[in-house]
Amino acid sequence: MMIKYSKLLIGTGLLCIGLAGCGTSNDAGKKPEKKAEQTSAQPSGKTEQASGSAGSQSDGKTADNSSAEQSGVRVMEQNLTFQLNGASKTETAFLKKSDNQSYSLYILPEFELTSEEPGKDNIFLKSDDSVFMRVEILSDSADLTTEEEMIKAQLGAVSKDISTPTLGKLPFKNAAAFEAANNTDVVTSILVKDDKTPFKVTMFTKKGADYRSAFIQMANTVLVSPEKK
């Protein structure tokens, strides 16, 4: 009886050792799979990081334009966030190049870029072309003090009361803003005082259709081409 019991224990022990050996072999086989999963996940993380960088550029000119200047290439579309009649909106804007002046910018879907006359372009609201923004690229030798005086004289035709617009902090590094309004119309001019590529935008909006924020975000993406000079 004891001999039978001993043989049974020995057999059970050998079976356990065999099973343990199989478990070790299976575990060893699983480790490379885990490494393979980790390796395949790494590229997607890099892709997300790149996408995040592109998204952060959409809200401001500095990141977008600096990358464009370095590479000479701009992406074809960019998200812009703006305020419209008190509500925040984010829409995809598309890259457009002026055929009248040497610059490109991103245009929101509700707007269209067209030439007004040499040295002046208009970006108008498709549903109401009386709401528009005029874009003028200035010479790097332009007298910006004289430009400011000209802006004030033009706004004087709208109203004798010329003020600083309540638009919050402008996204431009160095700019002067002026505004005049009457019973229905609001005209806002911004002079961007860039040392190399100064430009001026004039926004024609209405009290019931305040597209100034949308215009400013589009103007913030203006990038003047080197051939301007």
Side-chain angles (χ1 to χ4, degrees):
M1 184 73 177
M2 289 295 295
I3 293 171
K4 278 186 175 183
Y5 186 70
S6 298
K7 286 181 179 180
L8 182 60
L9 287 177
I10 292 168
T12 305
L14 290 173
L15 180 60
C16 290
I17 291 169
L19 291 173
C22 291
T24 304
S25 175
N26 289 342
D27 289 344
K30 288 181 181 177
K31 286 181 181 177
E33 292 179 12
K34 187 176 285 187
K35 288 180 181 177
E37 289 173 4
Q38 292 172 353
T39 304
S40 65
Q42 286 174 359
S44 63
K46 290 180 181 178
T47 303
E48 287 172 7
Q49 186 176 2
S51 299
S53 298
S56 65
Q57 292 173 9
S58 68
D59 296 329
K61 177 182 177 182
T62 304
D64 175 66
N65 285 0
S66 62
S67 63
E69 288 167 0
Q70 290 171 7
S71 66
V73 176
R74 306 187 83 179
V75 295
M76 294 306 296
E77 58 187 57
Q78 177 176 311
N79 287 340
L80 298 181
T81 300
F82 58 96
Q83 300 292 317
L84 179 59
N85 297 324
S88 179
K89 295 185 68 176
T90 299
E91 293 183 358
T92 300
F94 297 91
L95 183 65
K96 300 290 183 183
K97 189 177 186 302
S98 170
D99 56 8
N100 182 36
Q101 303 181 82
S102 297
Y103 74 94
S104 62
L105 82 168
Y106 291 91
I107 302 289
L108 290 164
E110 297 94 336
F111 299 87
E112 188 170 327
L113 173 66
T114 186
S115 301
E116 179 183 351
E117 60 181 69
K120 294 181 182 180
D121 289 333
N122 287 340
I123 300 169
F124 65 88
L125 183 65
K126 293 177 182 177
S127 61
D128 182 0
D129 60 9
S130 67
V131 176
F132 68 97
M133 175 173 69
R134 179 178 293 130
V135 181
E136 300 174 68
I137 306 300
L138 304 176
S139 167
D140 55 1
S141 60
D143 186 334
L144 299 183
T145 301
T146 301
E147 290 292 339
E148 281 194 26
E149 294 305 316
M150 289 174 60
I151 287 172
K152 292 175 183 178
Q154 291 165 354
L155 292 177
V158 180
S159 172
K160 64 179 182 179
D161 296 322
I162 300 171
S163 61
T164 301
T166 55
L167 297 169
K169 184 179 179 181
L170 294 174
F172 311 103
K173 185 178 289 186
N174 185 13
F178 308 91
E179 187 170 86
N182 54 34
N183 292 334
T184 57
D185 301 318
V186 180
V187 182
T188 310
S189 292
I190 299 176
L191 178 62
V192 179
K193 302 178 180 181
D194 189 283
D195 291 337
K196 296 181 180 179
T197 55
F199 66 93
K200 176 173 60 176
V201 295
T202 307
M203 296 169 276
F204 298 83
T205 58
K206 299 178 180 179
K207 291 185 176 179
D210 186 3
Y211 285 89
R212 292 176 301 170
S213 176
F215 283 135
I216 288 170
Q217 292 306 317
M218 288 187 285
N220 189 38
T221 68
V222 166
L223 181 64
V224 181
S225 304
E227 60 263 27
K228 164 189 173 269
K229 301 173 186 178

